[in-house]
Amino acid sequence: MFAILGATGQTGGAALAASLAAGHAVRAIVREPSRATALTDKGAIVAKADLDDVEALTAAFAGAEAAYVLNPVPHAAEDVIAAAAKNGAAIAEAIRRARVPHVVALSSSGAHRTEGTGIVRALHDFEEALRGAAASLTFIRATEFMENWGGVLGVAAEHGILPSMRQPLDAAGETVSTVDVGRQAAAELARPHAGERIVNLKGPAEYSPEEAAQALTELLGKPVMAVATPREEWEPGLIAAGLSASHARELAALYDAMNAGRAGFEEIGETRRGSVTLKEALAGLLG
């Protein structure tokens, strides 16, 4: 049986679907069981646990042959790095207590760095918390998600512009769909091993903001132009979208790092590429 954190989310949901399709029993660990009715309809068992609740997490992990874990940063936390560290420590302790033999953890490109990557620092800390928690440990270091464009698709559809913090606009960069992340996670859950492995996960190709705008032009049937969002507008815009000042600051720092080339992959581990193209990912977001 596989235990999957964040099963109502993007990567967790994709990992659950792929694991069920492969014939594995799955326990979906969620914070709000009321949102998980569709998961039970698909054949999953649902367990409730908050990310900082060691007792509930231990019970949810109990008996699992493998677990997929992730540590999403709380959007409204006054100190997002500290809040994520607290949750990461709870997840790692629960894995130890439940004696889960094989763990697959979602991380990020740039997570090998201790500074200069903004919010990715939380995933560096998560990796450190998990080390030694299970005999078999796989870190999936994924690059930026294609689905991150979802927050500005309404602007693109209504006004024909695609605001971008990725700059310059013609610079292609690595990006991967959350669907491919979930599929890779499901594959890794079925690949226990001795010690630690790192899987660097990329999409099928590199894409620029201008290429994202072109894909949206084709999907929406109207012209869409990529427009660089001025740096001084990043944090106020993110706060207006509902993030705490701490989260906005760290996320903006991540985009600074990506634009400067500081958030790339470490030259160790295995490299995998997904199959979902940017246009396919954007089509999925548009429904």
Side-chain angles (χ1 to χ4, degrees), residues 100-255:
V100 182
H102 176 46
V103 171
V104 177
L106 178 60
S107 187
S108 171
S109 59
H112 61 289
R113 297 184 181 274
T114 59
E115 58 183 14
T117 57
I119 207 160
V120 168
R121 170 58 192 268
L123 293 173
H124 170 85
D125 294 345
F126 190 39
E127 288 191 9
E128 290 300 307
L130 289 171
R131 288 197 162 94
S136 172
L137 180 59
T138 299
F139 292 119
I140 297 179
R141 288 180 176 172
T143 189
E144 183 189 19
F145 294 160
M146 295 176 179
E147 286 76 8
N148 288 349
W149 287 113
V152 292
L153 289 190
V155 177
E158 183 174 356
H159 301 291
I161 61 172
L162 184 67
S164 177
M165 293 188 294
R166 285 296 301 264
Q167 300 167 15
L169 298 175
D170 61 351
E174 296 290 358
T175 181
V176 67
S177 171
T178 56
V179 173
D180 279 327
V181 176
R183 289 171 178 168
Q184 190 67 44
E188 298 302 335
L189 285 169
R191 295 177 62 196
H193 54 87
E196 179 182 312
R197 288 175 57 244
I198 292 174
V199 176
N200 300 310
L201 185 60
K202 307 176 181 180
E206 295 185 2
Y207 300 95
S208 69
E210 289 182 347
E211 288 172 308
Q214 178 58 38
L216 286 171
T217 294
E218 297 169 7
L219 290 167
L220 294 170
K222 61 180 289 185
V224 176
M225 176 180 293
V227 176
T229 302
R231 178 62 176 84
E232 63 271 17
E233 296 179 9
W234 294 3
E235 291 176 44
L238 292 168
I239 291 170
L243 302 188
S244 69
S246 172
H247 197 160
R249 182 174 59 254
E250 297 296 343
L251 187 56
L254 170 58
Y255 276 90

Side-chain angles (χ1 to χ4, degrees), residues 33-118:
S34 60
R35 296 177 54 199
T37 304
L39 303 184
T40 57
D41 292 343
K42 294 176 182 178
I45 301 167
V46 174
K48 180 184 184 304
D50 291 327
L51 294 183
D52 62 351
D53 189 335
V54 176
E55 298 296 334
L57 287 169
T58 301
F61 288 139
E65 61 187 277
Y68 174 58
V69 299
L70 65 169
N71 191 13
V73 176
H75 287 181
E78 292 185 5
D79 184 336
V80 291
I81 301 300
K86 179 182 177 183
N87 290 347
I91 293 167
E93 178 61 21
I95 288 168
R96 291 186 179 92
R97 292 187 187 184
R99 298 182 179 180
V100 182
H102 176 46
V103 171
V104 177
L106 178 60
S107 187
S108 171
S109 59
H112 61 289
R113 297 184 181 274
T114 59
E115 58 183 14
T117 57

